[in-house]
Amino acid sequence: MEDREKKTSIRENDISKKVPLGAKRRSSIHLSIYAMFLAISMILGYVEAQLPTPIPIPGVKLGLANLVNILMLFSVGPFPTAVIGFLRIILLSLLFGNALTLSYSLSGFLCSFLMMLLFKNLVHFSTVSVSLIGGIFHNIGQVFMAAFLLRNTALWYYLPYLLIAGSVAGVLIGILGGILMKRLKPFFRQYF
């Protein structure tokens, strides 16, 4: 019995020696920070769903949860940003939405995220410009998916109103994201 325990503890010690202590600590810190970002984005998404829309056009939102996407994209990187955004959409749709909400949100997010990533990396736009691009392409992705699922091309006439609202929301989220980036720079520098 004692021989088994010794062999097990020897194996555990061998494994722990191969991974440096700092790497273990850093990965657990990163995981905790990602979980915090996911929780914040879900809370912002839920709060936004409870707020009345100032404009009586269905689908017009400020996009508060996209604030987390902007912060993460500029501070942490594209892969964690994509994972957190995807998980937020899945979880919020499971908790408060339906299959249509999931498909609209997911198509808007994918279109928006890919374009934000492209403009951030290739053109080196600021947070405001990248957020503006994200707001515009989020609405394009959602209208495309709605027109496809509902088999109704008349939904494309709705797009100009959504593009105006998405532009305004994107600029506001980009400005707020830029302010938060400056304030949180020491935090991100310490852990990433």
Side-chain angles (χ1 to χ4, degrees), residues 88-99 101-103 105:
R88 171 183 52 95
I89 290 168
I90 296 292
L91 292 172
L92 284 176
S93 295
L94 287 173
L95 291 172
F96 308 111
N98 54 37
T101 334
L102 175 65
S103 61
S105 297

Side-chain angles (χ1 to χ4, degrees), residues 37-53 61-66 68 88-89 91-97 101 105:
F37 278 133
L38 177 60
I40 290 170
S41 67
M42 287 184 65
I43 290 168
L44 289 173
Y46 176 74
V47 166
E48 184 175 31
Q50 303 307 312
L51 295 175
T53 43
K61 297 188 303 183
L62 184 56
L64 291 174
N66 295 326
V68 173
R88 171 183 52 95
I89 290 168
L91 292 172
L92 284 176
S93 295
L94 287 173
L95 291 172
F96 308 111
T101 334
S105 297

Side-chain angles (χ1 to χ4, degrees), residues 114-126:
L114 291 174
M115 294 310 290
M116 287 193 311
L117 189 60
L118 178 74
F119 279 89
K120 178 195 172 283
N121 290 334
L122 294 182
V123 188
H124 302 292
F125 277 4
S126 68

Side-chain angles (χ1 to χ4, degrees), residues 1 4-5 14 18 22 57 67 75 78 97 104 108 111 121 128 135 152 160 164 171-172:
M1 188 82 146
R4 264 190 209 164
E5 290 175 8
D14 288 342
K18 290 179 184 176
I57 300 173
L67 183 60
S75 303
Y104 297 154
C111 189
N121 290 334
V128 176
N152 186 354
I164 293 168
V171 168
L172 291 175

Side-chain angles (χ1 to χ4, degrees), residues 66-87:
N66 295 326
L67 183 60
V68 173
N69 291 344
I70 291 294
L71 284 174
M72 287 188 71
L73 187 61
F74 277 87
S75 303
V76 178
F79 183 72
T81 305
V83 170
I84 296 301
F86 180 75
L87 287 174

